[in-house]
Amino acid sequence: MLNRTFICSALIVLFHLVGLYGFLSPDLNQLFIMLVPFHLLLMLVLMIICTDDRSRNIYLFAFLIYTAGFLIEVIGVNTGLIFGQYTYGGALGIKLWETPLIIGVNWLILVYCTGVFLEQFKIRSRFFFSILGGLILLSLDFLIEPVAMRFDYWSWEDSLIPVQNYIAWFVFAAVLLWIFSLMEFKKENKAAIVLLFAQFAFFWILNKWTF
């Protein structure tokens, strides 16, 4: 009998493969761009299904990371003081204060998956854990940024990605991973590791095939 981890992992791979096909097909990419928020919500649901933890702490963690991720983007997009001057396009769906509501879900998924992956290595130092997590998400951001501009996730002033963005992304990601390391909840979820690697592969392939 297939277990839920296998099923969720298979669905993660399948939906990313289908997404690649859609994004790389000129006749379909506008449709698939519109589906991005629903894809992120589906990935969140799969993460929930694949964890056995239903404690107060994991819900508090999710609330904190979502809220922090959303608010940092609200401040960033409305002031330009954190990541630089950028604006969100239509790909990420409904906005509040010029910021897509789904962006907090994106931060939550990225931080959770990265944290679960790093937990496999039994790193004792929270500082080292956070720095490594920040570096992992920074490397993913290098892959995301060109794709984000190409497919209307967001755009940068003069189409130039500022160094400030990468510094802020690293620092903020490290802070969120530090919160992950502090909080006590079950941090085992093999599907989350599959999702992390699927995201790396997805954006790497899009970079190679669309530029």
Side-chain angles (χ1 to χ4, degrees), residues 73 82-84 86 138 141-142 145 154 156 160-171:
E73 298 286 353
I82 299 173
F83 303 102
Y86 67 109
L138 175 61
D141 188 45
F142 276 109
E145 290 295 344
W154 57 78
W156 292 97
L160 297 174
I161 306 167
V163 174
Q164 174 187 352
N165 168 69
Y166 295 116
I167 295 172
W169 181 282
F170 166 73
V171 172

Side-chain angles (χ1 to χ4, degrees), residues 3 25 32 42 76 166 179 188:
N3 63 37
S25 302
F32 275 75
L42 174 61
Y166 295 116
I179 294 172
E188 297 176 9

Side-chain angles (χ1 to χ4, degrees), residues 23-91:
F23 272 66
L24 294 170
S25 302
D27 295 335
L28 294 175
N29 60 31
Q30 289 303 311
L31 170 63
F32 275 75
I33 288 169
M34 291 173 57
L35 293 175
V36 168
F38 301 100
H39 172 84
L40 288 172
L41 287 174
L42 174 61
M43 294 303 108
L44 178 62
V45 169
L46 293 177
M47 292 302 95
I48 293 171
I49 290 172
C50 285
T51 180
D52 292 322
D53 195 329
R54 296 293 183 268
S55 67
R56 178 181 299 179
N57 279 354
I58 198 167
Y59 290 116
L60 178 59
F61 164 77
F63 173 78
L64 288 174
I65 301 303
Y66 174 88
T67 303
F70 178 71
L71 290 180
I72 200 76
E73 298 286 353
V74 169
I75 297 168
V77 79
N78 285 283
T79 68
L81 295 177
I82 299 173
F83 303 102
Q85 295 290 342
Y86 67 109
T87 55
Y88 279 104

Side-chain angles (χ1 to χ4, degrees), residues 11 30 49 55-56 69 74 87 94 102 182 184 186 205:
L11 287 173
Q30 289 303 311
I49 290 172
S55 67
R56 178 181 299 179
V74 169
T87 55
I94 299 169
I102 202 69
L182 276 177
E184 296 291 334
K186 189 172 182 179
I205 293 170

Side-chain angles (χ1 to χ4, degrees), residues 4-210:
R4 59 182 169 173
T5 297
F6 178 85
I7 293 171
C8 288
S9 298
L11 287 173
I12 288 166
V13 173
L14 175 63
F15 274 90
H16 280 82
L17 288 174
V18 171
L20 277 174
Y21 178 78
F23 272 66
L24 294 170
S25 302
D27 295 335
L28 294 175
N29 60 31
Q30 289 303 311
L31 170 63
F32 275 75
I33 288 169
M34 291 173 57
L35 293 175
V36 168
F38 301 100
H39 172 84
L40 288 172
L41 287 174
L42 174 61
M43 294 303 108
L44 178 62
V45 169
L46 293 177
M47 292 302 95
I48 293 171
I49 290 172
C50 285
T51 180
D52 292 322
D53 195 329
R54 296 293 183 268
S55 67
R56 178 181 299 179
N57 279 354
I58 198 167
Y59 290 116
L60 178 59
F61 164 77
F63 173 78
L64 288 174
I65 301 303
Y66 174 88
T67 303
F70 178 71
L71 290 180
I72 200 76
E73 298 286 353
V74 169
I75 297 168
V77 79
N78 285 283
T79 68
L81 295 177
I82 299 173
F83 303 102
Q85 295 290 342
Y86 67 109
T87 55
Y88 279 104
L92 295 179
I94 299 169
K95 300 176 189 176
L96 177 64
W97 302 313
E98 305 301 321
T99 308
L101 293 172
I102 202 69
I103 199 66
V105 171
N106 189 54
W107 274 109
L108 174 57
I109 290 171
L110 292 178
V111 170
Y112 176 74
C113 292
T114 303
V116 168
F117 170 67
L118 288 177
E119 279 290 319
Q120 311 305 301
F121 302 99
K122 308 299 180 183
I123 300 168
R124 294 184 179 182
S125 168
R126 284 199 176 99
F127 176 78
F128 191 43
F129 183 97
S130 302
I131 294 299
L132 277 178
L135 290 173
I136 289 171
L137 288 184
L138 175 61
S139 63
L140 181 58
D141 188 45
F142 276 109
L143 297 176
I144 291 174
E145 290 295 344
V147 173
M149 292 191 292
R150 169 71 176 80
F151 293 106
D152 198 36
Y153 285 46
W154 57 78
S155 58
W156 292 97
E157 188 176 50
D158 300 323
S159 297
L160 297 174
I161 306 167
V163 174
Q164 174 187 352
N165 168 69
Y166 295 116
I167 295 172
W169 181 282
F170 166 73
V171 172
F172 187 60
V175 169
L176 296 186
L177 265 299
W178 179 74
I179 294 172
F180 177 96
S181 71
L182 276 177
M183 299 194 67
E184 296 291 334
F185 57 86
K186 189 172 182 179
K187 297 174 180 177
E188 297 176 9
N189 189 335
K190 292 180 180 179
I193 299 172
V194 172
L195 178 53
L196 180 65
F197 280 90
Q199 294 229 24
F200 268 97
F202 179 83
F203 287 107
W204 183 81
I205 293 170
L206 284 182
N207 269 284
K208 292 294 183 182
W209 287 11
T210 58

